[in-house]
Amino acid sequence: MSAAATFYVTTPIYYVNDKPHIGHAYTTLACDVLARFKRLDGFDVRFLTGTDEHGQKVEKSAEAAGMTPLALADLNSANFRDLAGVLGCSNDDFIRTTEPRHLAACQALWTRLVEKGDIYLGAYEGWYSVRDEAFYAEDELIKGPGDSRLAPTGAPVDWVKEPSYFFRLSAWQDRLLKWYEDNPDCVAPASRRNEVMSFVKGGLQDLSVSRTSFKWGIPVPGDGAHIMYVWLDALTNYITALGYPDTSGDFARYWPNALHMVGKDIVRFHAVYWPAFLMAADLAPPRRVFAHGWWTNEGQKISKSVGNVIDPLTLIETYGLDQVRYFLLREVPFGNDGDFSHRAMIQRINSELANDLGNLVQRTLSMIAKNCDGRVPPHVDYAEMTEDDWTLLDNSRDLINSVRPAIDRQAFHDALEAIWIIIRSANVYIDRQAPWKLRKTDQIRMETVLYVLAESIRNLALLLSPFMPTSADKILDQLGVSADRRDFASLGAGQSLTSGVELPAPQGVFPRFVEEAAG
Ligand code: MSP
């Protein structure tokens, strides 16, 4: 048998100056769904997340907290690691940029870029934003209060003047444009690709890639006065984790199928600087960079100063993990901005999870428990199955064919909508067939209808499992599906439920969310 196709998915690595919030949870969850989906679909998957621990921003926050940068990094990196656990993430690795393996990879990449003639020593004089860890050209700035100027993101900027190594980014303009043109899917959604292409067409300046005015970073090989620019350091994490500078082994296996999931604010780093660094080092650029949008909270921009930061742990305690996973990936077309609201969350929990899916499962399983002696319906009359039966059965068995392409476009909302179309049609089917009436008139027909429903639910639960792993497992447990039959190879007719198999007593999977009375 030939080796399984590979899939490598990465989250951005998170700055350790702060606690995790909904934005971090969102990216990580999206990657987890992709990783789980691909594993179930037979791929050899590597899923990476971690923390970005160097740079001026972390150094300053540590100073303000009266800690060493490493002590702050240890503390907050652990918070991000814990969050991945609480989110039910299936990451295979968690990288910290303060690890020895990362120092080795960064210094090797640097040395390679020097050997290739793409790094030279000069002096930087210009604007820098510590909050964004980004250099800005004069004409990018916007007006701030009084005479001050701000980064286009609204972050404060400082005038910096220091010796610096530069990366010859200007030399990569044509090769970057060719990469976007030859690979229409390498930056998505299309609006972001256009944005990146017009930025590159506008001309690229060489990029300052080292700093001398502070110390918290990776030393530049052969020049102890400089540390590497934190973005060159941070981006390299994606290949450190595959064993770079060794380019055999994991690197050879996973790198050709890398997908970087990022927020829209950090597209330029991932879709311009990073591919240029890689190409300069004779390495392939990532297969794809997908930029998602930003969440607001009840219509307002989320910010610490406003005090409306959403803590993912509170969210999960309030609504439940699978409910949060579902909501975040269902509420907003992935790639667009979206608004978090308590009302929208409850609406989705109650109408889509409790009513549509929960009731379908509950009605079917409790009728089976009561009327089929707690067994997968034993008397199914395949010869007499109606068009209505076959339509639901076939649609649920073929559903992977519309869900898979949606997942491959990172269109989670489309994937879920395709699944919900079948859930809703199953509810229409159960009402139309009214098995509770058949119980009195035609036992075999009733069992046939319940079998069609149970088998459809099996297929639905398998496809839901990347999104809501715990709930999907509860449903599959109740259908008596064994652990080794929960991958996508088990979808369809080949692994259908076996009539007569005894089932555990049914239990509700999606409770309604009842708001506590005020006061
Ligand atoms: N350390 C860099 C990434 C380096 S990757 C080589 C960084 N870290 S971050 O912690 O500031 O941000 C991580 C991610 O959170 C970004 O992708 C950003 O888009 C995302 N979000 C921050 N606020 C967000 C929302 N309000 N909504 C959605 N995502 C948001 O950037």
Side-chain angles (χ1 to χ4, degrees), residues 194-368:
N194 294 338
E195 180 186 302
V196 164
M197 286 183 76
S198 56
F199 171 74
V200 174
K201 278 184 188 149
L204 294 173
Q205 310 222 322
D206 289 352
L207 181 71
S208 167
V209 286
S210 77
R211 305 288 312 269
T212 46
S213 49
F214 65 97
K215 287 271 156 274
W216 184 233
I218 294 186
V220 164
D223 190 343
H226 292 251
I227 55 164
M228 289 182 203
Y229 172 39
V230 65
W231 270 100
L232 173 55
D233 161 347
L235 289 160
T236 305
N237 93 86
Y238 301 131
I239 58 175
T240 303
L242 296 181
Y244 184 82
D246 178 2
T247 52
S248 62
D250 284 347
F251 185 93
R253 185 157 150 194
Y254 295 108
W255 184 248
N257 294 309
L259 168 66
H260 298 317
M261 186 66 78
V262 299
K264 63 179 183 177
D265 53 320
I266 55 174
V267 176
R268 190 182 292 181
F269 301 97
H270 285 83
V272 181
Y273 303 164
W274 180 228
F277 297 154
L278 288 163
M279 288 193 270
D282 287 329
L283 300 171
R287 167 67 60 92
R288 182 166 164 95
V289 175
F290 190 100
H292 64 67
W294 273 44
W295 287 90
T296 50
N297 183 0
E298 309 278 352
Q300 273 206 313
K301 189 172 186 262
I302 297 178
S303 92
K304 269 203 288 191
S305 50
V306 177
N308 64 349
V309 175
I310 302 175
D311 178 352
L313 302 180
T314 314
L315 218 53
I316 291 167
E317 272 165 30
T318 312
Y319 302 107
L321 173 59
D322 278 354
Q323 284 78 354
V324 170
R325 291 176 64 110
Y326 175 75
F327 176 82
L328 291 179
L329 294 172
R330 178 68 189 85
E331 177 71 2
V332 180
F334 200 67
N336 294 3
D337 290 339
D339 184 44
F340 177 86
S341 79
H342 185 61
R343 198 188 51 76
M345 179 93 202
I346 294 176
Q347 168 71 19
R348 294 231 180 244
I349 290 178
N350 286 346
S351 75
E352 290 162 18
L353 296 181
N355 283 358
D356 294 345
L357 177 57
N359 277 346
L360 171 68
V361 174
Q362 183 74 11
R363 288 203 282 180
T364 303
L365 290 173
S366 59
M367 281 210 70
I368 289 177

Side-chain angles (χ1 to χ4, degrees), residues 25-100:
Y26 185 47
T27 324
T28 304
L29 281 177
C31 292
D32 187 55
V33 172
L34 291 176
R36 286 176 182 271
F37 191 96
K38 288 290 188 181
R39 280 190 208 106
L40 292 173
D41 212 12
F43 284 73
D44 168 6
V45 172
R46 180 65 66 91
F47 169 18
L48 175 70
T49 185
T51 43
D52 188 353
E53 308 192 358
H54 291 130
Q56 213 169 354
K57 170 148 108 168
V58 172
E59 193 184 79
K60 278 192 159 182
S61 303
E63 232 169 65
M67 298 166 88
T68 65
L70 187 59
L72 180 70
D74 285 345
L75 183 77
N76 278 327
S77 180
N79 288 334
F80 282 101
R81 192 188 292 262
D82 291 350
L83 176 71
V86 173
L87 294 172
C89 276
S90 61
N91 53 299
D92 303 290
D93 194 355
F94 185 99
I95 191 168
R96 299 186 55 183
T97 54
T98 46
E99 290 173 65

Side-chain angles (χ1 to χ4, degrees), residues 172-180 200 204 271-272 275-276 279:
W172 289 90
Q173 179 171 357
D174 292 345
R175 281 168 285 189
L176 282 167
L177 288 171
K178 183 167 175 0
W179 178 56
Y180 310 128
V200 174
L204 294 173
V272 181
M279 288 193 270

